[in-house]
Amino acid sequence: MDTTDNRKVKQLIVLGNGFDLTCGLKSQYSDFYQSENKSNQFDNILMRFAERTMTDYPDWADVESNILKLIKLYKKYFIYIQGGEQKKVFEPEYFRYMLKGLEFKYNRSITNGNDNDFNLFYFYKFLSSEIGDFEERLATYLKSQILDSNYIQKSRWLAISLCLAEYRDDLLRADEEELTAKLAERNLLMKGGDYAADFFTFNYTPVSEDAYPHQIQNIHGNIEEKNTILGIDGHGGDDDILEFTKTYRLLSHSQVKERIDFSQKFDCIKFFGHSLGEADYSYFQSIFDGLDLYSAKTKLFFYFQVYDPHRRTEIISQNYHAVSKLLKRYGETFQSNPDHGKNLMHKLILEGRLTVKELDCSLLTIN
């Protein structure tokens, strides 16, 4: 891959699961969950716990937050069995049955109440093993989905469309008569390297080299290298749960082979398909800090797709809310100048540096 930087436009493209969904990949958590037969579901604590926590439209941020919920529940459960209140019903009672299932699976007690450190150590060990099992199942599932779909072609087209968006919008659309000519023009333009992007992806799926990327970083591993990870955000967590944070797991797995330099002066950052959830906040803060977002000239584009026409208003509202929440939280880190933090989003809007919009992906509908 060519890493020399002679680009006309320096852009960073941040991808979330919505990218894969737009390309037709059945990569929602509910898709994966339903693909597992009942016997497999009940053989993994994350799958079992999902039955109690799944919303009507769950996403991967919900799954990762479940890791922290399970840890908190176990700590609550241990206080319960230590406190001599066994005659009372533990709430939620179903959690006890999950623990019994783990004990049976691993042939070791974690519910005896004799030694807090011992029990916590083995619960963490069990939970870590369950997460690893979940990750392997997910990688296998995604591989099968890619083989059974036209994902590779569509993901290439969408990646190129994101590179050209705002700069060559005329090449994002084409009717059938124009398609051949416009695709040829797109390819020629991308080969020149002027609009080659750095792709920072939270997905486990690969970004096509045929999209002529400048650099690619699969921050959570990828299915091709069988090193996918899940984890929680490290902000505000207790020291004893560090091993479940994404930062720790990235370090212990030696995941990242190629790193993007976030201190470079990007002309724009384009987000597509990411929920901007809590579990990934640390990454966004690092990116914004590296850029010196408040003083920089970098433009932020948050793109989305209305994947369900019946929920159009709701989906648009969710995206505006997620962007506002992310920038508000980031502004709260400006301790040396709180006023800058409070007016960050207002400043970005006034300077024309903040856009939230639906991306035209009509080329993807042409086969």
Side-chain angles (χ1 to χ4, degrees), residues 19 151-152 155-157 159 199 205-213 216:
F19 178 87
Y151 169 83
I152 294 175
S155 65
R156 173 177 177 266
W157 284 10
F199 285 90
T205 46
V207 175
S208 173
E209 293 287 347
D210 291 334
Y212 311 107
I216 303 169

Side-chain angles (χ1 to χ4, degrees), residues 163-351:
C163 292
L164 297 178
E166 311 305 326
Y167 301 103
R168 288 297 306 271
D169 286 344
D170 60 306
L171 296 179
L172 304 188
R173 301 169 294 277
D175 58 33
E176 292 190 18
E177 293 182 357
E178 300 174 313
L179 181 60
T180 301
K182 284 202 172 184
L183 288 180
E185 187 177 354
R186 279 160 53 110
N187 285 339
L188 185 62
L189 199 59
M190 293 305 297
K191 283 181 179 179
D194 287 349
Y195 298 101
D198 290 323
F199 285 90
F200 186 75
T201 174
F202 289 84
N203 298 332
Y204 306 126
T205 46
V207 175
S208 173
E209 293 287 347
D210 291 334
Y212 311 107
H214 181 253
Q215 281 187 289
I216 303 169
Q217 186 171 333
N218 282 78
I219 188 60
H220 296 153
N222 64 76
I223 56 177
E224 293 180 336
E225 297 182 11
K226 299 180 180 179
N227 59 358
T228 55
I229 69 163
L230 292 168
I232 61 177
D233 182 69
H235 274 73
D238 298 330
D239 289 344
D240 66 327
I241 63 173
L242 282 175
E243 66 182 279
F244 297 103
T245 64
K246 289 182 175 178
T247 304
Y248 182 97
R249 302 197 75 217
L250 284 169
L251 178 64
S252 63
H253 284 66
S254 299
Q255 295 283 350
V256 183
K257 295 183 178 180
E258 186 173 354
R259 291 173 171 82
I260 295 171
D261 177 12
F262 294 116
S263 66
Q264 61 183 296
K265 301 303 180 184
F266 286 108
D267 295 295
C268 66
I269 304 179
K270 299 173 179 177
F271 297 81
F272 185 83
H274 198 292
S275 65
L276 309 178
E278 201 77 14
D280 292 323
Y281 173 74
S282 295
Y283 298 117
F284 300 131
Q285 181 177 347
S286 297
I287 292 171
F288 294 157
D289 283 349
L291 289 169
D292 186 14
L293 181 61
Y294 188 88
S295 301
K297 300 298 183 183
T298 307
K299 295 182 179 181
L300 304 182
F301 296 95
F302 293 88
Y303 297 115
F304 62 88
Q305 281 286 287
V306 178
Y307 51 86
D308 183 347
H310 301 291
R311 297 177 55 219
R312 182 177 183 82
T313 301
E314 177 190 352
I315 291 169
I316 293 174
S317 177
Q318 285 176 347
N319 278 274
Y320 278 106
H321 178 77
V323 172
S324 300
K325 184 178 178 181
L326 171 65
L327 294 176
K328 179 179 182 294
R329 181 172 177 184
Y330 180 62
E332 291 170 353
T333 66
F334 291 13
Q335 296 180 0
S336 61
N337 195 332
D339 289 337
H340 280 187
K342 291 178 182 177
N343 74 1
L344 172 63
M345 190 159 63
H346 187 68
K347 182 176 187 290
L348 292 172
I349 293 172
L350 285 178
E351 294 176 353

Side-chain angles (χ1 to χ4, degrees), residues 44-257:
N44 184 283
I45 195 170
L46 284 176
M47 301 295 287
R48 296 177 70 178
F49 194 54
E51 284 199 315
R52 303 285 176 170
T53 58
M54 277 179 64
T55 61
D56 290 336
Y57 304 102
D59 59 34
W60 288 106
D62 298 327
V63 178
E64 291 172 323
S65 68
N66 278 351
I67 296 172
L68 185 57
K69 289 177 183 176
L70 283 165
I71 293 171
K72 289 181 176 179
L73 272 175
Y74 182 77
K75 289 183 174 182
K76 179 181 176 183
Y77 178 76
F78 190 82
I79 292 172
Y80 159 79
I81 59 177
Q82 284 279 33
E85 298 181 355
Q86 290 89 334
K87 292 182 180 179
K88 295 182 179 179
V89 176
F90 177 74
E91 297 291 348
E93 187 175 7
Y94 68 83
F95 185 65
R96 288 195 299 172
Y97 295 103
M98 289 186 182
L99 294 182
K100 291 296 183 183
L102 283 181
E103 289 182 331
F104 178 79
K105 183 175 181 178
Y106 295 100
N107 192 28
R108 184 177 293 275
S109 174
I110 51 174
T111 58
N112 57 37
N114 295 328
D115 185 332
N116 189 17
D117 291 334
F118 173 87
N119 281 268
L120 201 57
F121 170 80
Y122 278 106
F123 176 69
Y124 285 175
K125 184 177 180 180
F126 294 161
L127 182 57
S128 181
S129 179
E130 295 290 278
I131 293 170
D133 173 65
F134 186 96
E135 290 164 345
E136 288 183 12
R137 294 186 191 190
L138 174 60
T140 300
Y141 169 78
L142 290 175
K143 276 189 172 182
S144 68
Q145 287 298 305
I146 288 176
L147 291 174
D148 292 341
S149 68
N150 59 352
Y151 169 83
I152 294 175
Q153 180 188 26
K154 283 192 172 183
S155 65
R156 173 177 177 266
W157 284 10
L158 180 53
I160 292 176
S161 294
L162 283 165
C163 292
L164 297 178
E166 311 305 326
Y167 301 103
R168 288 297 306 271
D169 286 344
D170 60 306
L171 296 179
L172 304 188
R173 301 169 294 277
D175 58 33
E176 292 190 18
E177 293 182 357
E178 300 174 313
L179 181 60
T180 301
K182 284 202 172 184
L183 288 180
E185 187 177 354
R186 279 160 53 110
N187 285 339
L188 185 62
L189 199 59
M190 293 305 297
K191 283 181 179 179
D194 287 349
Y195 298 101
D198 290 323
F199 285 90
F200 186 75
T201 174
F202 289 84
N203 298 332
Y204 306 126
T205 46
V207 175
S208 173
E209 293 287 347
D210 291 334
Y212 311 107
H214 181 253
Q215 281 187 289
I216 303 169
Q217 186 171 333
N218 282 78
I219 188 60
H220 296 153
N222 64 76
I223 56 177
E224 293 180 336
E225 297 182 11
K226 299 180 180 179
N227 59 358
T228 55
I229 69 163
L230 292 168
I232 61 177
D233 182 69
H235 274 73
D238 298 330
D239 289 344
D240 66 327
I241 63 173
L242 282 175
E243 66 182 279
F244 297 103
T245 64
K246 289 182 175 178
T247 304
Y248 182 97
R249 302 197 75 217
L250 284 169
L251 178 64
S252 63
H253 284 66
S254 299
Q255 295 283 350
V256 183
K257 295 183 178 180

